[in-house]
Amino acid sequence: MSTDSKPILEVKSLHKKFGELHVLRGIDLTVNKGDAICLVGSSGSGKSTLLRCMNFMELPTAGSVAIDGNLVGQESGSFEGAPVFEYKEKELIKVRTQVGMVFQQFNLFPHMTVLDNVMEGLVQVRKMNKEKALDIARENLKKVDLWEKADQYPSRLSGGQQQRVAIARALAMQPDVMLFDEVTSSLDPELVGEVLKSIQDLSRGGMTMVVVTHELGFAYHVAQHVMFLHDGVIHEQGTPDEVLKHPREERTRAFLTGFTDFNF
Amino acid sequence: MIEFEWNFALLVPFWGNFLRGALVTIELSVIVIFSSLLFGIFIGMARYSSNKWLNIPATVFVEIFRNTPVFVQIVWFFYAFPVIIGIQMEGFIAAVLGVGLNMTAYTSEIYRGGIQSIHKGQWEAAKAIGMPYASTMRRIILPQAIRRMIPAFANRIIEGAKATALASAIAVGELLHEGELLAQALYRPLEIYTVIAVLFFILIYPLALWSYWLERRLRTDEKVKL
């Protein structure tokens, strides 16, 4: 094993503005191999935007993102002391295959079967032949326990099953890190567990991940590191025990008292 | 009621004229429909694009052809356009340009509306697995959008087939024009225009039946719910 441990993903002084709205105000975040990092905070705190900047679904206004030690983009100026970058679409396409993402709304392709959903990126983006793509798709659908639904269309599946297919679709691209954006927020309560379990299994299997979630119990059990965002800055961070059980900051405490059903 | 003795038997020897006209109507319709369905995709995508070099010309095109009568367009392409480009133009070509470009303006709007109706999550999901714009459009967006566009296309196709009759004004030998010629020769306009109307109905009604069938099929095709 190499002892050279470059972070898989490193964000420095990240800023994001939507027009006049300054959503992220200088965020630093380092993701090492095998990490499970949870981002928590109230709506509008910027946690989803931060996640979406990490795979360039949103382009950062300023600040750097490095994947496997390689800076993404060309430096072209500065903003509030942070470097500003220009990005080429080709480069971003490559980055997105290294950083997988799962969405709140699943966003499965409704006109394709479960299997075709998972194979699409392999065949179209990775230019893999069908047999090899099928092998990888099968392996990943088995990981989320849905191989038996391979020939179904998404509309025939429950929300929880659809979300697990979305996880398999992202996993199939064999990303270095997975981003989960409130993936249980649009599920019926009884379906949340199966999705969280799939994510927990992945984490135990060594998958590196950054998870935006309102499920604090999940954050407590799965994350090694919890970050509390407020008004576009990281207000408090540490182990789940430090941040969720013994918060130092007043804001963190105020946020946590909003969760009455928060059991460990 | 006015005394008038209908005599359709008189027209029987001229069935060849009607057939010739019907064939030209079909030919004109097929060309206009297929080319507008094809070119409409590109104009529609250009209209949807945020790139102003694509968007502005496409918008100008659509607005010009949607907001002038198709009849005026046909006449303009026959009389004025040849003067501008300096070559004589056959009536048939002028009719293809007039009806075809008008149709393209409409089909492009159907494409644009259909593309816009697809949830942005579909674009994001494709982007997140590294799909570039063109393959996202081809593999993810259009296959879903086209299903939603089918009823609108069916209407448009029927409109297009009917609009070909306007080409009679520039002496294109389609069904109506053949009828006009016969009417002048035989002095039996009532029978002739009645036959023409019935023939148009026979040609176009199957398109309406086809559109009902498609709509029914789309409704019952549950397994792919969009």
Side-chain angles (χ1 to χ4, degrees):
Chain A
M1 284 280 287
S2 161
T3 52
D4 170 36
S5 59
K6 268 188 218 144
I8 284 192
L9 202 157
E10 190 167 30
V11 173
K12 277 187 189 158
S13 324
L14 191 82
H15 287 262
K16 177 66 186 176
K17 285 181 86 171
F18 291 107
E20 283 307 298
L21 200 64
H22 202 158
V23 180
L24 298 175
R25 307 156 177 264
I27 303 264
D28 297 308
L29 188 159
T30 303
V31 187
N32 289 306
K33 193 167 167 50
D35 276 357
I37 296 175
C38 277
L39 302 176
V40 300
S42 43
S43 322
S45 59
K47 53 195 192 308
S48 279
T49 304
L50 170 57
L51 203 70
R52 291 166 60 83
C53 283
M54 288 159 75
N55 71 339
F56 298 90
M57 298 304 281
E58 303 288 352
L59 299 184
T61 304
S64 65
V65 178
I67 312 270
D68 287 328
N70 301 313
L71 268 183
V72 181
Q74 290 288 319
E75 198 171 332
S76 66
S78 77
F79 168 82
E80 295 198 2
V84 171
F85 289 82
E86 268 174 19
Y87 305 99
K88 289 199 181 77
E89 190 57 27
K90 254 208 167 121
E91 189 183 16
L92 298 186
I93 283 172
K94 183 169 174 280
V95 166
R96 293 190 191 110
T97 63
Q98 291 171 282
V99 183
M101 185 171 222
V102 183
F103 303 88
Q104 181 177 344
Q105 299 293 343
F106 332 140
N107 299 337
L108 292 181
F109 305 133
H111 59 304
M112 295 182 184
T113 63
V114 163
L115 182 63
D116 288 337
N117 262 278
V118 180
M119 284 172 60
E120 183 68 9
L122 298 171
V123 176
Q124 296 298 323
V125 180
R126 291 236 194 268
K127 310 287 177 205
M128 223 173 247
N129 67 42
K130 293 241 166 163
E131 293 79 51
K132 202 164 169 226
L134 179 65
D135 284 342
I136 295 175
R138 186 191 295 117
E139 178 196 327
N140 285 292
L141 278 169
K142 280 181 174 166
K143 264 188 207 162
V144 295
D145 262 333
L146 281 172
W147 173 239
E148 76 277 13
K149 300 280 186 193
D151 296 329
Q152 298 275 337
Y153 283 86
S155 61
R156 287 291 172 87
L157 306 185
S158 73
Q161 289 170 331
Q162 290 192 43
Q163 192 58 294
R164 281 148 61 204
V165 173
I167 293 172
R169 177 174 67 182
L171 281 179
M173 299 303 286
Q174 295 159 310
D176 300 331
V177 51
M178 289 275 281
L179 309 176
F180 293 93
D181 189 8
E182 295 192 31
V183 294
T184 57
S185 297
S186 57
L187 292 176
D188 293 335
E190 72 272 22
L191 301 175
V192 169
E194 60 183 87
V195 173
L196 293 182
K197 186 181 170 296
S198 289
I199 299 174
Q200 186 168 20
D201 290 347
L202 283 179
S203 175
R204 289 198 178 131
M207 180 46 106
T208 311
M209 57 179 72
V210 182
V211 184
V212 167
T213 186
H214 289 295
E215 303 287 337
L216 298 186
F218 173 80
Y220 186 81
H221 286 291
V222 176
Q224 294 108 39
H225 196 78
V226 175
M227 293 176 143
F228 172 69
L229 261 81
H230 187 77
D231 273 347
V233 293
I234 292 174
H235 216 66
E236 181 163 1
Q237 58 178 311
T239 64
D241 204 59
E242 286 165 354
V243 177
L244 299 175
K245 269 198 165 169
H246 308 289
R248 295 181 304 271
E249 301 285 335
E250 191 51 46
R251 289 237 180 265
T252 320
R253 275 199 283 270
F255 168 73
L256 290 172
T257 51
F259 288 83
T260 48
D261 58 346
F262 171 32
N263 55 59
F264 299 132
Chain B
M1 215 176 134
I2 302 164
E3 280 299 304
F4 184 79
E5 213 170 294
W6 294 88
N7 187 355
F8 286 103
L10 198 82
L11 299 179
V12 173
F14 300 97
W15 65 271
N17 298 53
F18 291 108
L19 178 66
R20 198 164 60 224
L23 287 177
V24 175
T25 290
I26 292 171
E27 190 186 355
L28 195 52
S29 301
V30 167
I31 293 175
V32 160
I33 288 165
F34 281 95
S35 56
S36 68
L37 288 178
L38 180 66
F39 294 122
I41 296 184
F42 300 107
I43 309 277
M45 288 195 331
R47 281 269 279 164
Y48 178 75
S49 164
S50 52
N51 179 339
K52 66 174 191 231
W53 297 105
L54 295 173
N55 181 304
I56 292 174
T59 303
V60 168
F61 171 86
V62 169
E63 295 304 354
I64 287 175
F65 282 96
R66 273 205 314 180
N67 297 303
T68 48
V70 60
F71 187 52
V72 172
Q73 289 160 22
I74 293 169
V75 173
W76 187 85
F77 273 109
F78 187 60
Y79 293 108
F81 192 55
V83 176
I84 295 172
I85 60 168
I87 45 168
Q88 255 311 312
M89 185 169 291
E90 253 184 82
F92 188 84
I93 305 290
V96 165
L97 284 173
V99 183
L101 292 175
N102 180 272
M103 278 277 281
T104 303
Y106 280 98
T107 55
S108 74
E109 284 297 273
I110 297 172
Y111 280 113
R112 182 177 68 98
I115 292 168
Q116 267 169 353
S117 78
I118 301 300
H119 191 266
K120 82 177 199 323
Q122 293 291 306
W123 285 99
E124 294 203 331
K127 205 172 177 182
I129 54 172
M131 280 176 92
Y133 180 89
S135 23
T136 304
M137 193 58 113
R138 187 172 52 82
R139 299 276 313 167
I140 309 299
I141 305 299
L142 282 179
Q144 296 181 59
I146 284 174
R147 293 169 56 89
R148 294 184 184 175
M149 299 171 197
I150 284 173
F153 278 141
N155 270 327
R156 225 340 89 192
I157 286 169
I158 290 169
E159 290 298 321
K162 288 191 293 192
T164 59
L166 295 170
S168 61
I170 53 168
V172 174
E174 49 68 69
L175 195 47
L176 181 57
H177 187 65
E178 288 293 328
E180 284 167 355
L181 294 178
L182 267 186
Q184 284 160 22
L186 303 176
Y187 301 110
R188 303 299 298 190
L190 274 68
E191 287 91 343
I192 289 168
Y193 288 127
T194 305
V195 170
I196 295 293
V198 170
L199 287 177
F200 264 111
F201 183 81
I202 291 171
L203 287 179
I204 290 171
Y205 187 55
L207 292 173
L209 291 177
W210 165 76
S211 83
Y212 297 142
W213 175 80
L214 268 179
E215 276 180 50
R216 238 189 348 265
R217 226 193 68 166
L218 284 176
R219 253 204 314 274
T220 52
D221 191 1
E222 269 185 57
K223 74 173 192 219
V224 192
K225 200 156 259 148
L226 298 180

